[in-house]
Amino acid sequence: MTPTAQSTASVRRVVFPFTAIVGQEEMKLALLLNVIDPKIGGVMIMGDRGTGKTTTIRALADLLPEIPVVVNDPFNSDPSDPDLMSDEVRQRTGQGVEIPIELKKVQMVDLPLGATEDRVCGTIDIEKALSEGVKAFEPGLLAKANRGILYVDEVNLLDDHLVDVLLDSAASGWNTVEREGISIRHPARFVLVGSGNPEEGELRPQLLDRFGMHAEIHTVKEPALRVQIVEQRSEFDQNPPVFLEHHQTEQEALQQKIVNAQKLLPEVKLDYDSRVKISEVCSELDVDGLRGDIVTNRAAKALAAFEGRTEVTIDDIHRVITLCLRHRLRKDPLESIDSGYKVEKAFARVFGVELPDDTTQKNGTGQMKTGVR
């Protein structure tokens, strides 16, 4: 490790380790799958206050391996992928100019509720453009979030127009800013994570549908688990370095598992019969559009890759289908999101599997009690 890297590591904020988080398996799985395949389209996490939503997302960003970026580039440009480069870096690469590279932690960008569109998308300095004839662009949060995680707490309280802008960028991987006839475009490929409390209102169905997955989290009810969570947090607060060292082996193992899954993902296959059945479930549930089909296919492949396999099983589909479809069933904005029971029933009928009688019950971690892991 170089002196610079050592100093960077020593001043970096200490974050609670991802592998030490107890319960909330549904949220953790959705986040991991989106990191393996960002094209899944992000996660909407809805649940009670104080259930560790922000802690988990920060822990995930800290867990991810460092990525190569172009030095002093405001867009975290990838030195080897033209789709993840700013125009300037692409131009320099095309001219054969040697580009300095550094390793950098994956960025987690927090979007404040009061953010303006200029702050999110960036703005063009018209005065400089007119006087000097150059495109003077002041990058926003979307530029900073490129190749990272963009987290919006209380996304259900954010202005609908801003949510639309975020979802458009997350889906296309690009952000375009136009003003007074000047247009600037830059890469903005990130994992969008929104969280909120259902008591403070839901997102409109049209916006909710744009999120790839929807995870429900609940307050842990089992006293023993609650005690374990409280003790772990106290242990971490008292001596973070020792706590981190205790979980370092698990952290490194999970990090390697994510890296391996990202490499394996292009090789994962989902057979035609399963793809037809996924679409049959979506059709039976009257899911609008084809996003549900696409996301379920992607998530099932990401799960197989995460577990080191190149063939998707029915079990993989079962474990992700509720996360991918439950938020797409709501047609009336005043109707609450289905807990997943309808999705489970449709899945069991179409795939011809029998689910236990307690499928609709929840355990202390907010997971469905089904016959699968």
Side-chain angles (χ1 to χ4, degrees):
M1 189 184 279
T2 64
T4 311
Q6 280 179 339
S7 60
T8 306
S10 62
V11 297
R12 211 171 66 227
R13 184 177 172 186
V14 179
V15 177
F16 193 85
F18 189 86
T19 52
I21 293 166
V22 177
Q24 310 303 5
E25 303 303 328
E26 195 173 276
M27 169 172 63
K28 291 194 290 190
L29 178 64
L31 289 169
L32 287 170
L33 296 184
N34 270 272
V35 165
I36 292 164
D37 183 3
K39 289 182 181 174
I40 287 172
V43 193
M44 179 66 191
I45 302 166
M46 292 298 273
D48 306 330
R49 294 179 296 275
T51 43
K53 297 188 283 286
T54 306
T55 300
T56 306
I57 293 148
R58 285 192 196 287
L60 178 71
D62 189 66
L63 171 74
L64 299 177
E66 291 183 329
I67 53 172
V69 298
V70 175
V71 175
N72 295 328
D73 182 79
F75 308 105
N76 299 317
S77 291
D78 187 326
S80 57
D81 185 348
D83 284 342
L84 294 171
M85 287 180 188
S86 63
D87 289 340
E88 185 191 343
V89 172
R90 196 183 299 111
Q91 195 176 354
R92 282 162 59 196
T93 308
Q95 292 167 351
V97 178
E98 191 176 335
I99 294 169
I101 298 167
E102 65 179 346
L103 286 176
K104 194 174 176 183
K105 282 298 287 181
V106 169
Q107 291 264 26
M108 178 198 153
V109 177
D110 257 317
L111 187 115
L113 273 180
T116 61
E117 189 174 344
D118 279 357
R119 179 76 185 97
V120 174
C121 301
T123 185
I124 297 167
D125 188 337
I126 296 297
E127 191 177 328
K128 193 170 182 181
L130 293 174
S131 61
E132 299 178 28
V134 293
K135 289 182 178 179
F137 179 61
E138 187 64 43
L141 294 175
L142 293 183
K144 193 178 175 186
N146 186 38
R147 302 176 67 207
I149 297 171
L150 182 63
Y151 175 51
V152 191
D153 195 11
E154 309 295 355
V155 67
N156 44 337
L157 302 181
L158 197 65
D159 181 67
D160 275 358
H161 170 63
L162 267 185
V163 177
D164 232 351
V165 167
L166 294 177
L167 290 163
D168 278 341
S169 294
S172 67
W174 291 90
N175 173 44
T176 305
V177 181
E178 297 198 17
R179 192 174 163 209
E180 309 292 342
I182 297 172
S183 178
I184 287 181
R185 182 171 174 261
H186 69 78
R189 194 173 297 175
F190 49 83
V191 175
L192 179 62
V193 182
S195 73
N197 182 350
E199 292 172 10
E200 290 162 348
E202 293 278 9
L203 273 180
R204 287 190 291 116
Q206 298 92 316
L207 292 175
L208 202 51
D209 174 65
R210 302 275 297 280
F211 279 90
M213 303 176 97
H214 184 287
E216 279 186 2
I217 56 174
H218 303 270
T219 304
V220 174
K221 300 295 182 190
E222 292 176 31
L225 272 180
R226 291 173 77 114
V227 169
Q228 186 185 343
I229 292 166
V230 171
E231 283 177 350
Q232 280 204 323
R233 187 70 222 191
S234 301
E235 203 180 313
F236 172 75
D237 289 340
Q238 280 169 14
N239 198 335
V242 171
F243 190 83
L244 292 174
E245 194 179 329
H246 181 65
H247 289 276
Q248 190 176 350
T249 307
E250 290 173 279
Q251 288 279 101
E252 286 172 358
L254 181 55
Q255 186 184 81
Q256 191 55 51
K257 202 173 172 184
I258 291 169
V259 172
N260 294 343
Q262 289 170 334
K263 289 176 185 170
L264 185 64
L265 185 63
E267 299 171 35
V268 179
K269 300 285 183 288
L270 176 58
D271 65 75
Y272 179 75
D273 185 50
S274 294
R275 295 202 301 272
V276 169
K277 285 180 176 174
I278 287 169
S279 291
E280 196 179 328
V281 171
C282 293
S283 181
E284 184 174 304
L285 293 168
D286 195 22
V287 173
D288 290 337
L290 294 172
R291 279 201 191 103
D293 309 51
I294 294 166
V295 170
T296 306
N297 278 263
R298 284 191 179 282
K301 285 182 178 180
L303 179 54
F306 182 58
E307 299 193 341
R309 293 180 276 105
T310 54
E311 296 285 337
V312 173
T313 65
I314 291 178
D315 186 44
D316 294 330
I317 299 166
H318 186 192
R319 288 162 68 189
V320 302
I321 198 163
T322 300
L323 285 165
C324 298
L325 298 184
R326 66 149 68 94
H327 57 301
R328 304 180 198 279
L329 309 186
R330 195 167 58 120
K331 303 287 189 255
D332 179 356
L334 299 176
E335 187 185 333
S336 63
I337 291 178
D338 178 74
S339 66
Y341 178 59
K342 286 180 189 172
V343 180
E344 290 276 347
K345 269 194 1 181
F347 170 85
R349 194 198 66 74
V350 171
F351 280 83
V353 296
E354 200 170 319
L355 298 175
D357 293 336
D358 61 352
T359 299
T360 57
Q361 294 175 7
K362 299 271 185 181
N363 63 20
T365 61
Q367 278 293 89
M368 299 296 289
K369 281 189 177 177
T370 62
V372 292
R373 295 187 301 280

